[in-house]
Amino acid sequence: MLLATSVRSNFVFDDDPFQPVTQDETVAVGGVVTLTCNVKENDNSSLQWSNTAQQTLYFGEKRALRDNRIQLVKSTGTELIITISDVQLSDDGEYTCSIFTMPVRTARATVTVLGVPGKPVITGFEDAIQEGGKVTLTCTSSGSKPPAKLHWYRDQEEIQGRPDVVESNPDEPTYTVTSELTLTVTRNDNNALIACAVDHPSIANGDKRTERPISVLFSPSVSIQPESDLPREGEKFFLQCVGNGNPEPTAFVWRRKDGELPPMAKVDDAFLHFESLNKSDNGIYECQADNGIGMGDVTHTLLVQEAGVNAADPTVMSTPLGVDHAVIGGVVAVIVFIMLCLLIVLGRYLIRHKGTYLTHEAKGSDDAPDADTAIINAEGGHSGMDDKKEYFI
């Protein structure tokens, strides 16, 4: 990666037209840097570039140092341009442009060489982690100058790690940077990409990035998938137990909540097969899956339809026949109960208002001690014809 940036001009043209003008440069290791020296006027004196050790690189058009990395770009009476390719950390420092007038005039240009950081290395989760556990990951990048910055990502989302730790590398002016990240993992973290990226002016964003998937062990979540949404009498049918876990479940147990499994039902690992469905197969079935980390279970209600049910009729498909019979029976029971209540009320009403017929012709004869007295009392009852009353209801 080549990176060369003009930073500033050490001098500007002033009243002295013979004063050289240069500018600072920044370049990454392995790149190419261009050194430019200008003067406003020249009195036939030559321009010269010297390195950090004050060794002459070029004097006008003449190469002074045998270094094939250094090449002449342009040489005139007022300008001298050279390049240095395959820049190394040792090329970092101040370079001098001189013009041999009386007196000699000089200008300095600082070349800053950036140490390119190495690709980050992630360690800490070579083995799978159990759900709910904690893991500490370490990211390391070496060779940067100035020190690089490290960033953590989960998939595309940046997450915060601990502050970077910077250490100087022995025998060279570069640094090793280390960052740690501690995670409490869930099943949602399984197969997530944990990435560490380097941020440094010598590289473009994303050029130095390392990704690793994280493996989380967790117990299975279970579901039951029926072969058909409308199982019918006489047909073959199966229920499949599907477990999602890490690792995948390998052991399955089938049960029937309200009794033993039907005689015609056959367990085949994750499958429960029915050779010929019958109404007696109706019930709640449970599957339990085990993957060695934990177990998960789920239930499924099986309602077998009659063989004559038309699958294309949505009204038939929407409600099981057993439910229809129950509803009809409930309605009939309510009607019978209401009719009984009406009969009871009507009977009590008729009894309370029962019709009577009463005459008073023999009123008082019931209390007579003998027959003669009863006749006399009865005859006395004829004395007042107006007292005779009849009641009809």
Side-chain angles (χ1 to χ4, degrees):
M1 170 88 184
L2 183 151
L3 176 64
T5 306
S6 297
V7 179
R8 66 181 176 85
S9 178
N10 286 328
F11 296 94
V12 295
F13 291 111
D14 51 18
D15 294 337
D16 185 356
F18 300 107
Q19 176 61 48
V21 176
T22 61
Q23 59 187 18
D24 296 341
E25 303 288 344
T26 299
V27 62
V29 169
V32 178
V33 63
T34 300
L35 300 176
T36 301
C37 181
N38 295 286
V39 293
K40 195 171 184 180
E41 296 181 11
N42 195 339
D43 61 354
N44 294 324
S45 299
S46 297
L47 293 170
Q48 171 185 291
W49 271 112
S50 303
N51 64 11
T52 58
Q54 294 303 310
Q55 296 172 313
T56 301
L57 303 178
Y58 266 90
F59 183 75
E61 296 180 351
K62 297 179 181 179
R63 181 197 298 269
L65 187 66
R66 291 186 177 180
D67 188 341
N68 292 331
R69 298 182 306 134
I70 304 170
Q71 297 293 327
L72 176 66
V73 176
K74 184 178 181 181
S75 177
T76 67
T78 58
E79 187 174 43
L80 178 60
I81 303 175
I82 65 172
T83 60
I84 304 174
S85 60
D86 192 20
V87 173
Q88 303 299 312
L89 291 171
S90 58
D91 295 321
D92 188 276
E94 284 190 343
Y95 289 74
T96 305
C97 177
S98 306
I99 184 169
F100 291 90
T101 57
M102 292 298 292
V104 176
R105 295 169 173 82
T106 61
R108 287 181 170 79
T110 300
V111 174
T112 301
V113 180
L114 302 176
V116 180
K119 188 174 182 179
V121 177
I122 302 177
T123 58
F125 58 109
E126 288 76 13
D127 298 325
I129 309 129
Q130 192 152 343
E131 181 180 21
K134 287 188 176 182
V135 60
T136 298
L137 311 179
T138 303
C139 177
T140 304
S141 176
S142 185
S144 59
K145 174 182 171 288
K149 294 181 180 180
L150 302 179
H151 300 274
W152 289 98
Y153 295 88
R154 182 190 182 275
D155 293 329
Q156 300 302 318
E157 179 184 359
E158 184 171 1
I159 51 180
Q160 193 65 39
R162 295 179 185 173
D164 296 346
V165 177
V166 179
E167 296 179 344
S168 298
N169 293 327
D171 303 326
E172 60 179 37
T174 60
Y175 302 89
T176 296
V177 184
T178 303
S179 178
E180 288 187 345
L181 174 69
T182 300
L183 294 174
T184 300
V185 298
T186 68
R187 63 182 59 203
N188 294 329
D189 293 314
N190 188 45
N191 293 324
L193 287 178
I194 304 299
C196 179
V198 178
D199 181 14
H200 196 264
S202 66
I203 59 175
N205 289 337
D207 279 0
K208 294 294 178 70
R209 179 187 179 102
T210 297
E211 294 180 339
R212 290 194 57 185
I214 189 169
S215 179
V216 180
L217 303 175
F218 58 93
S219 59
S221 56
V222 187
S223 63
I224 294 178
Q225 296 181 357
E227 180 183 10
S228 168
D229 292 332
L230 189 66
R232 290 187 289 186
E233 282 184 304
E235 294 182 345
K236 287 187 176 182
F237 179 75
F238 68 79
L239 297 174
Q240 182 181 3
C241 187
V242 179
N244 178 28
N246 188 26
E248 292 295 326
T250 55
F252 299 88
V253 176
W254 286 94
R255 301 185 184 92
R256 187 176 181 179
K257 282 286 190 179
D258 48 358
E260 298 291 331
L261 289 175
M264 298 297 290
K266 180 182 178 182
V267 175
D268 182 14
D269 200 21
F271 291 87
L272 179 62
H273 291 277
F274 296 83
E275 292 299 323
S276 179
L277 283 174
N278 190 282
K279 282 284 190 178
S280 62
D281 295 328
N282 286 345
I284 301 175
Y285 292 84
E286 178 187 20
C287 174
Q288 185 179 79
D290 188 346
N291 68 346
I293 301 298
M295 292 184 296
D297 55 60
V298 69
T299 60
H300 177 82
T301 301
L302 176 62
L303 293 173
V304 179
Q305 306 295 315
E306 290 183 357
V309 171
N310 183 8
D313 185 355
T315 60
V316 175
M317 293 177 61
S318 60
T319 307
L321 292 179
V323 176
D324 286 344
H325 294 162
V327 172
I328 293 171
V331 172
V332 171
V334 171
I335 294 173
V336 170
F337 176 77
I338 292 173
M339 293 180 65
L340 288 175
C341 291
L342 290 174
L343 289 174
I344 293 173
V345 171
L346 182 60
R348 294 190 61 182
Y349 179 84
L350 293 175
I351 292 171
R352 182 173 296 178
H353 298 80
K354 181 179 179 181
T356 60
Y357 176 80
L358 177 63
T359 65
H360 290 257
E361 293 179 341
K363 185 177 179 181
S365 61
D366 291 339
D367 296 329
D370 52 38
D372 294 335
T373 304
I375 293 172
I376 295 172
N377 289 341
E379 291 176 348
H382 290 277
S383 61
M385 294 299 293
D386 294 334
D387 292 335
K388 181 179 179 181
K389 297 180 180 179
E390 294 180 357
Y391 298 89
F392 294 91
I393 297 178

